Amino acid sequence: MAMEIILLGPPGAGKGTQAGLIEEAYGMVQLSTGDMLRAAVKAGTPVGLKAKAVMEAGELVSDDIVSGIIGDRLDELGSETGVIFDGYPRTEAQAASLDEILKSRGRKLNHVIELGVDEDALVDRITGRYTCAKCNEGYHDRHKQPAKDSVCDECGSTEFKRRPDDNEETVRTRMAEYRGKTAPILPIYEERGIVTRVDGMGGIEEVASSIRAILGAPPK
Ligand code: AP5
Ligand code: MG
């Protein structure tokens, strides 16, 4: 049976970074509601039009919208493909929807991994973050620069972009949303005995190694 995991943690905790590494190592698929919403905003779809201002303010998009896109995306995947939920669920209502969504598709959660971090370090992580405009490879002003100045290591593009919600004021709102609405869902999973806390303040490879220890050896 496919493995299903949730990566939980405040903005900048490293959910996207670690989801990408797990995806590569375990052949699972990363479902990031943030990435899907940003794609919808870019494409100007009805969902994107509703989400744009809410995201720019650092607040949460409605539960129905995000649960709807998660259900649709899961339907496109074969049942043998495991999923890493990155940035979903974020509220109690979304956690309840995810239970239904998984149950009706014969899937079951195996692990909830909470990335524990220090908020001030997160502001530094987020405000320094940028990505390649062409292939989306992630970089950081201080922690991860391209080997050749202003040229993407992966695809050679010289165009980069920053997220409109990656400024200090919006980051503080996003953190408050995490503390107020998302952190309170942890007990739901703690009761099921599937939560493991990982120290997210180590280096990227160190965090990845702690996660591999939870998931077990990746398939060869
Ligand atoms: P979303 O896109 O999910 O953003 P977020 O939760 O704020 O998290 P981030 O993507 O900013 O951080 P991350 O944990 O992925 O960190 P990353 O790996 O990039 O959501 C955006 C918005 O969409 C929300 O505010 C909301 O409006 C809406 N939304 C999304 N999902 C929703 C939902 N379910 N319900 C309602 N609304 C929703 O790392 C950050 C930086 O640090 C990078 O530069 C990286 O290179 C660097 N880094 C990573 N790990 C390390 C490390 N160990 N050491 C040093 N640097 C590191
Ligand atoms: Mg992310």
Side-chain angles (χ1 to χ4, degrees):
M1 205 164 105
M3 181 156 65
E4 322 290 352
I5 68 177
I6 295 175
L7 287 185
L8 212 59
K15 302 181 295 292
T17 303
Q18 295 300 328
L21 295 174
I22 301 169
E23 189 170 54
E24 266 174 41
Y26 290 82
M28 296 167 71
V29 168
Q30 168 191 14
L31 294 189
S32 158
T33 40
D35 288 349
M36 293 175 205
L37 291 168
R38 278 184 288 280
V41 169
K42 195 170 172 208
T45 66
V47 163
L49 293 177
K50 278 191 197 149
K52 188 170 187 285
V54 181
M55 292 175 80
E56 281 175 10
E59 290 160 9
L60 294 185
V61 174
S62 85
D63 293 331
D64 291 349
I65 289 184
V66 288
S67 293
I69 55 180
I70 283 285
D72 290 348
R73 199 54 73 89
L74 270 180
D75 288 336
E76 294 165 14
L77 297 176
S79 58
E80 70 292 346
T81 305
V83 173
I84 310 144
F85 294 99
D86 158 9
Y88 178 88
R90 264 176 146 96
T91 62
E92 285 180 18
Q94 291 178 26
S97 296
L98 179 61
D99 281 344
E100 287 303 313
I101 287 170
L102 291 177
K103 196 172 162 205
S104 63
R105 290 164 179 79
R107 293 175 178 263
K108 190 170 174 282
L109 272 178
N110 301 86
H111 298 282
V112 175
I113 298 174
E114 186 203 4
L115 296 170
V117 276
D118 146 23
E119 280 201 8
D120 289 326
L122 295 189
V123 174
D124 166 75
R125 274 195 195 174
I126 294 180
T127 52
R129 167 173 65 182
Y130 60 99
T131 53
C132 170
K134 198 170 160 210
C135 74
N136 237 11
E137 179 68 9
Y139 295 98
H140 194 280
D141 291 328
R142 291 167 294 282
H143 310 304
K144 189 189 165 200
Q145 291 149 345
K148 196 168 160 219
D149 197 25
S150 305
V151 180
C152 175
D153 295 340
E154 292 298 315
C155 74
S157 164
T158 52
E159 305 257 330
F160 296 88
K161 61 179 193 235
R162 288 180 193 263
R163 277 168 46 175
D165 59 346
D166 277 355
N167 57 78
E168 179 156 0
E169 191 194 341
T170 311
V171 170
R172 297 277 178 202
T173 306
R174 285 157 59 195
M175 284 176 179
E177 290 282 74
Y178 181 81
R179 278 195 303 273
K181 296 176 185 161
T182 307
I185 72 177
L186 265 166
I188 301 173
Y189 300 115
E190 273 159 357
E191 262 178 32
R192 300 181 198 172
I194 56 172
V195 178
T196 314
R197 190 167 200 270
V198 164
D199 177 9
M201 294 313 296
I204 292 174
E205 182 43 43
E206 213 176 308
V207 179
S209 146
S210 307
I211 294 178
R212 284 195 298 271
I214 297 164
L215 304 183
K220 290 266 179 309

